[in-house]
Amino acid sequence: MSPAPRRGTARSRGGAAREGGDEHERLVVDGREIAISNPGKVLFPKPKYTKLDLVRYYLAVAAGALRGAGGRPNVLVRYPNGITREFFYQKRAPESRPPWIEVVTLRFPSGRTAEEVVPRDAAALAWLANLACLELHPHPVRAEDLDHPDELRVDLDPVPGVKWAQVRQVAHVVDAALRDSGLTGWPKTSGSRGLHVLVRIERRWGFDAVRRAALALAREVERRVPKLATSKWWKEERHGVFVDYNQNAKDRTVASAYSVRPTPDARVSAPLRWDEVDAADPADFTLATMPQRFATLGDRHAGIDATPGSLEQLLELSARHEREGLGDAPWPPHYKKQAGEPTRVQPSRARAAKHPLIEIGRAKREQEALAGLKRWKARHKKAAAYLEPSDVLVDRMRGRSSTWTRIRVNLRHVPPKLRPRQERLDPDEKTLESS
């Protein structure tokens, strides 16, 4: 196990300074001097939060943030020019880094390798924030054992139109299913529309077994509340709250506790107690409000490492599902075809398609893709009037280092005579498909 995280102490040294023509703010964090470049750069335009505000936030919640992401390899998600501009994923640690920044070499399913950053202390968090890393995206493994996850992650992802109250309902079902399996779940807001439940587990199983356990749990939640939750992978088949089992596949990461998210109001992923879930509102937890909550209440996940659980009961449930005819479920599209995986064909592309999907457009920026959807609705007003929120599928596609957005529309609620045919994509940035 990694050493217990500790809260960092910081002080300014000499205030702002000019180095090489650029403004810097020098901070001393736990004895390490860190130069914050362009400290006044605005990362969140609406509340005008700056890079220095981000650094100070992570120092204020360092003990909690390190409990979630510390001692683990992290993917860097960088917003160098703020949340309204382009961002990118960086798996490889910058070559120019202080000697005290720890890295570990990961091997990915593709066969490639990369040295990823392993934050251990508050100074490392400040260094990451200086790179405009808003979010902490740790792998579910410790740096000293990269083959055996110590965390199962339950990602509750509501389809468009589903209210927060339903997400909370499903979270309680997840809690009950975990307790029935001898496991303890620790809830937190995702910082976006969903909710995460983290489960510390014994380091006895590999990634495939952990994912299989997560799939069994997702199917059990769906069995208990079939009208509220789904384990269906394909978006056109989903309803309610999707229990995303594939977040447990190797090389997948999620925003950890206390991560700042790229929302206009700078929301953060807030750890909760179960008795707080029903009253919690994701909008209450922001870069501005979380430090005070943390100082007053401490880390709601302070005990998460005390009771790692066993996956044996969930794996027994998985074996029972298989005997009953429920084998593996689809993997993310960029993974190799797995043994026992069903045919990886979207239902809308099957010969007897149940879901009449058309694609609207592809763009590097989500705003441009949504603008294309707006133009499509203007051209097809009668058909658009029948669409429900869940019929508009916004797919955030991830390449090796960048993302792009695909917009599709499910015409299932549109009368057949009014269904528009597939048109030329608008916008159409074809090069992004192979990114």
Side-chain angles (χ1 to χ4, degrees):
M1 300 292 288
S2 61
R6 53 196 174 91
R7 184 173 179 176
T9 57
R11 58 186 176 87
S12 295
R13 173 172 289 181
R18 305 290 294 183
E19 296 185 3
D22 294 325
E23 185 181 353
H24 283 64
E25 176 86 13
R26 295 189 184 90
L27 297 179
V28 178
V29 183
D30 293 340
R32 303 189 189 280
E33 184 172 313
I34 301 170
I36 308 302
S37 60
N38 299 313
K41 176 176 284 186
V42 174
L43 300 180
F44 293 87
K46 188 175 180 180
K48 294 183 168 48
Y49 297 148
T50 66
K51 187 194 287 189
L52 187 58
D53 291 328
L54 179 69
V55 173
R56 288 173 172 161
Y57 165 80
Y58 273 117
L59 292 178
V61 300
L66 288 168
R67 188 169 285 110
R72 304 175 184 277
N74 279 249
V75 174
L76 310 185
V77 188
R78 300 178 61 179
Y79 292 77
N81 295 302
I83 64 168
T84 60
R85 304 290 293 276
E86 293 182 17
F87 71 98
F88 61 95
Y89 290 86
Q90 183 174 342
K91 291 184 177 181
R92 290 168 174 79
E95 292 185 6
S96 177
R97 60 180 184 268
W100 47 267
I101 289 292
E102 182 179 339
V103 297
V104 68
T105 301
L106 270 70
R107 185 175 298 276
F108 304 112
S110 63
R112 295 189 298 273
T113 62
E115 287 187 332
E116 293 197 4
V117 173
V118 180
R120 293 282 188 184
D121 53 26
L125 295 180
W127 180 80
L128 287 170
N130 181 54
L131 297 178
C133 292
L134 302 187
E135 305 169 298
L136 301 172
H137 266 256
H139 292 264
V141 293
R142 302 285 180 175
E144 58 268 31
D145 185 353
L146 300 176
D147 297 321
H148 300 93
D150 72 332
E151 187 171 85
L152 181 148
R153 296 166 173 177
V154 184
D155 182 3
L156 302 181
D157 184 11
V159 305
V162 169
K163 304 299 184 184
W164 173 245
Q166 186 168 330
V167 179
R168 294 186 297 200
Q169 284 181 277
V170 175
H172 285 300
V173 177
V174 169
D175 179 35
L178 286 171
R179 286 188 280 107
D180 290 345
S181 300
L183 295 167
T184 301
W186 298 78
K188 69 181 184 71
T189 65
S190 70
S192 182
R193 298 182 61 244
L195 193 145
H196 299 156
V197 181
L198 307 178
V199 185
R200 287 290 197 267
I201 58 175
E202 299 167 359
R203 286 188 278 180
R204 296 167 48 192
W205 297 275
F207 281 92
D208 288 354
V210 175
R211 177 188 171 277
R212 192 162 66 248
L215 174 58
L217 176 67
R219 285 170 168 168
E220 175 61 15
V221 172
E222 181 178 30
R223 185 192 69 79
R224 295 186 183 198
V225 283
K227 293 184 179 180
L228 299 180
T230 181
S231 64
K232 300 293 188 295
W233 171 251
W234 301 111
K235 280 191 174 182
E236 55 263 45
E237 293 186 317
R238 295 179 193 170
H239 68 276
V241 177
F242 172 48
V243 186
D244 190 354
Y245 59 90
N246 268 331
Q247 292 292 20
N248 295 276
K250 185 176 173 62
D251 196 26
R252 302 280 281 198
T253 62
V254 298
S256 64
Y258 299 98
S259 286
V260 180
R261 306 307 304 275
T263 61
D265 54 352
R267 295 185 188 185
V268 305
S269 179
L272 304 170
R273 293 190 322 202
W274 280 110
D275 61 5
E276 293 179 303
V277 168
D278 287 340
D281 183 337
D284 291 338
F285 310 111
T286 69
L287 182 149
T289 64
M290 180 56 78
Q292 182 60 48
R293 171 181 165 89
F294 188 85
T296 303
L297 302 176
D299 182 12
R300 291 307 204 189
H301 285 187
I304 192 171
D305 291 313
T307 55
S310 170
L311 291 181
E312 290 176 354
Q313 292 188 54
L314 282 180
L315 291 174
E316 289 173 3
L317 178 60
S318 175
R320 192 181 81 198
H321 286 164
E322 189 169 354
R323 291 193 299 271
E324 295 172 350
L326 281 176
D328 201 356
W331 286 63
H334 59 283
Y335 283 73
K336 293 181 179 179
K337 186 73 164 59
Q338 304 293 314
E341 182 185 359
T343 303
R344 198 182 291 178
V345 178
Q346 292 176 225
S348 56
R349 294 186 177 182
R351 289 186 177 180
K354 297 180 182 179
H355 303 278
L357 261 69
I358 59 173
E359 187 171 351
I360 304 301
R362 305 179 181 189
K364 191 171 184 179
R365 295 171 58 84
E366 182 176 336
Q367 298 95 313
E368 294 170 2
L370 291 173
L373 173 65
K374 186 176 181 180
R375 291 190 290 270
W376 181 90
K377 287 183 175 181
R379 292 195 302 273
H380 304 287
K381 293 181 180 179
K382 291 184 179 180
Y386 286 92
L387 297 179
E388 296 185 2
S390 60
D391 292 334
V392 177
L393 309 181
V394 180
D395 304 317
R396 293 173 179 84
M397 314 295 284
R398 180 171 167 180
R400 293 184 182 179
S401 62
S402 61
T403 62
W404 55 281
T405 299
R406 176 180 66 182
I407 303 289
R408 295 177 296 160
V409 170
N410 193 337
L411 300 174
R412 57 186 171 177
H413 294 114
V414 179
K417 290 184 179 181
L418 294 180
R419 292 176 183 173
R421 294 185 178 184
Q422 178 67 56
E423 301 173 347
R424 295 183 62 179
L425 300 185
D426 171 29
D428 184 8
E429 300 185 23
K430 295 185 174 67
T431 58
L432 295 173
E433 186 171 18
S434 59
S435 65

